[in-house]
């Protein structure tokens, strides 16, 4: 789907301290049920003691430009919305879980009410000009959200100037969650 | 200790996604459905081929009734799928949409319409004697049934070709459904659709070989079953070779069949018990030209079911995410 915007998020792994503010902001903003998470923290430690390096990442749906979840969905419940945000129409969802099996990031889950659920980049907030909840609460400003088609947007400048990586590039999903390294 | 990743602390613990053995969104319901779907597809293909090949209806009553048996069998499979849905009251949503990129969408429409194909096929399958027996007991609907039987006879050839196409469609789509999911390396192979198709054909043959058949039917289905099993065996070997010689994702998938904890069941029950032993028995039966035992079809059915079970379970265990952590 071609859109006139391309919403992306950058996650600065050199700034994140793993405080989980993003996780709790998301839970609060989106009424994420107890025991479930739309975003989460992953900490990895690499190397051999005492030469260790750690990386802390705040992860969520990658809102792929080539989203296997959308292709797998038999009812059209999963779709590409405004600015490329991958969304789920709860009313159309049968809970068949094809989208969950299709996601290389395991970013989706079944909401206790029976439908597939996941991060929406807080599309309801974005629609009224606000930032996603996780971005607004990040105390180290490691999360940045914006329109990559806008050259002056902070995300565009970050991705033009910083080294970054995307997860599971081999899966060919063209993810829009970029990890600054 | 080798340099490299030493620890991952994952903050996500979503139910069904992050279990001790990885993701587990599809339980027993999905392999049960895949097995039944494959078996009924295989039986449809074989019955259509039989009549197209010999230009005569099956003579045994059981073979004539098989299209009617496929309706409730598929019903059981679809019931399993319905149980698997997390939002079962929304099942009608499958039929308010057609998503060309989604094999499950194709499948939804296929398994709905194939029922009409079986009815059309079943009407023409019945011998004149059986038709008369039914008509004599159908009271006020006898006229409609007579017309339906006549239609079934008049359009027999297009119905059989349609049944063949639907059988192949149903047999292939289940493999395509899993095969197109890049996120699960053990599923993500183009071999899976033809593998499930051939396994379905041998399971469909096994189903019919458990029934009292005419000598000609028995003779034919044993041979076609053997051909399907031989092709399936080749496909399995090719699949395992392509996995173990492939990319990191493929190699992780290969580990399911060589070295992983599913290896014993796969080679013993699916390949040994479900393919090699029945092939040897079929060879013996063909050489001696007489039916030997019902052991062979039972082994084939157990092997066919175990194949679906292992593939469904192993695919969910081997996610792309866990693969990245391992490397």
């Amino acid at each position: 789907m071609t859109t006139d915007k391309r919403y992306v998020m950058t996650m600065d792994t050199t700034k994140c301290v793993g405080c989980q503010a993003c996780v709790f902001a998301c839970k609060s903003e989106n009424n994420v049920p107890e025991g479930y998470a739309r975003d989460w923290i992953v900490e990895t430690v690499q190397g051999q003691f005492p030469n260790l390096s750690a990386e802390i990442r705040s992860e969520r749906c990658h809102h792929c430009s080539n989203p296997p979840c959308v292709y797998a969905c038999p009812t059209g419940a999963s779709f590409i919305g405004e600015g490329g945000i991958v969304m789920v129409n709860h009313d159309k969802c049968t809970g068949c879980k094809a989208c969950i099996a299709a996601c290389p990031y395991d970013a989706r889950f079944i909401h206790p009410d029976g439908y597939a659920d996941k991060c929406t980049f807080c599309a309801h907030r974005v629609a009224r000009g606000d930032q996603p909840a996780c971005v607004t609460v990040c105390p180290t400003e490691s999360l940045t959200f914006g329109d990559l088609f806008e050259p002056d947007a902070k995300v565009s400048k970050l991705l033009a100037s910083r080294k970054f990586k995307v997860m599971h590039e081999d899966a060919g999903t063209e993810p829009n969650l970029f990890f600054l390294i | 200790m080798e340099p490299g990743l030493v620890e991952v602390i994952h903050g996500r613990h979503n139910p069904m996604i992050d279990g001790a053995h990885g993701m587990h969104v599809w339980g027993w319901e999905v392999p049960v459905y895949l097995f039944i779907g494959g078996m009924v597809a295989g039986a449809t293909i074989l019955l259509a081929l039989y009549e197209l090949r010999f230009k005569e209806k099956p003579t045994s009553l059981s073979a004539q009734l098989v299209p009617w048996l496929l309706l409730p069998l598929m019903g059981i499979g679809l019931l399993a799928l319905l149980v698997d849905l997390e939002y079962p009251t929304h099942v009608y949503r499958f039929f308010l949409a057609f998503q060309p990129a989604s094999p499950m969408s194709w499948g939804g429409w296929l398994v709905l319409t194939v029922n009409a194909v079986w009815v059309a096929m079943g009407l023409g399958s019945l011998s004149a004697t059986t038709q008369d027996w039914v008509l004599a007991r159908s009271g006020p609907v006898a006229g409609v049934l007579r017309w339906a039987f006549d239609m079934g006879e008049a359009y027999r050839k297009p119905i059989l070709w349609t049944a063949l196409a639907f059988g192949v469609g149903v047999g292939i789509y289940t493999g395509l459904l899993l095969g197109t999911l890049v996120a699960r390396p053990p599923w993500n192979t183009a071999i899976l659709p033809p593998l499930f198709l051939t396994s379905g054909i041998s399971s469909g043959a096994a189903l019919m070989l458990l029934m009292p058949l005419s000598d000609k039917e028995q003779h034919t289905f044993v041979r076609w079953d053997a051909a399907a099993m031989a092709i399936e065996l080749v496909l399995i070997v090719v699949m395992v070779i392509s996995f173990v010689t492939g990319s990191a994702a493929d190699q992780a998938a290969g580990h399911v069949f060589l070295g992983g904890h599913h290896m014993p069941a796969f080679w013993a029950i699916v390949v040994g018990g479900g393919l090699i032993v029945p092939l040897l028995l079929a060879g013996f039966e063909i050489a001696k030209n007489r039916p030997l035992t019902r052991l062979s079809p039972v082994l084939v059915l157990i092997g066919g079911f175990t194949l679906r079970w292992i593939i469904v379970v192993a695919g969910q265990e081997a996610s792309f995410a866990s693969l990245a952590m391992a490397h």
Side-chain angles (χ1 to χ4, degrees), chain A:
Chain A
M1 180 181 170
T2 311
T3 59
D4 54 354
K5 289 187 171 72
R6 185 178 161 202
Y7 289 128
V8 306
M9 189 178 280
T10 60
M11 196 273 125
D12 193 336
T13 61
T14 66
K15 285 184 176 175
C16 181
V17 293
C19 72
Q20 311 244 10
C22 51
V23 177
F24 287 93
C26 173
K27 279 177 175 286
S28 169
E29 174 69 27
N30 296 298
N31 293 319
V32 180
E34 182 83 28
Y36 294 81
R38 285 186 179 188
D39 61 350
W40 54 89
I41 298 290
V42 179
E43 297 180 37
T44 62
V45 180
Q46 266 181 304
Q48 194 171 15
F49 185 82
N51 301 312
L52 296 169
S53 67
E55 182 178 274
I56 306 174
R57 298 189 299 266
S58 169
E59 295 184 2
R60 57 195 44 65
C61 169
H62 292 241
H63 296 279
C64 306
S65 294
N66 190 26
C69 54
V70 172
Y71 305 146
C73 178
T75 66
S78 285
F79 66 101
I80 302 173
E82 175 71 14
I85 299 178
V86 176
M87 301 287 289
V88 182
N89 180 338
H90 302 164
D91 194 39
K92 284 187 178 177
C93 182
T94 64
C96 74
K97 297 165 284 191
C99 57
I100 295 179
C103 175
Y105 307 99
D106 293 344
R108 290 173 169 240
F109 59 89
I110 289 292
H111 189 281
D113 288 346
Y115 55 83
D117 200 10
K118 65 174 201 72
C119 162
T120 61
F121 269 167
C122 282
H124 60 291
R125 291 173 61 90
V126 174
R128 59 177 190 244
D130 291 336
Q131 291 278 300
C134 55
V135 176
T136 60
V137 298
C138 180
T140 60
E141 295 184 353
S142 59
L143 294 171
T144 309
F145 173 85
D147 177 9
L148 195 62
F149 289 167
E150 191 64 57
D152 291 332
K154 196 176 169 189
V155 284
S156 305
K157 289 177 177 170
L158 281 168
L159 289 173
S161 60
R162 293 279 301 272
K163 280 187 179 175
F164 62 85
K165 64 179 179 182
V166 293
M167 284 178 70
H168 312 328
E169 197 172 5
D170 291 353
T173 57
E174 299 170 31
N176 287 309
L177 178 56
F178 297 89
F179 295 93
L180 305 176
I181 49 178

Side-chain angles (χ1 to χ4, degrees), chain A residues 74-76 89 91-94, chain B residues 89-97:
Chain A
T75 66
N89 180 338
D91 194 39
K92 284 187 178 177
C93 182
T94 64
Chain B
T89 53
H90 270 192
V91 66
Y92 69 93
R93 286 289 185 183
F94 276 89
F95 307 109
L96 293 181

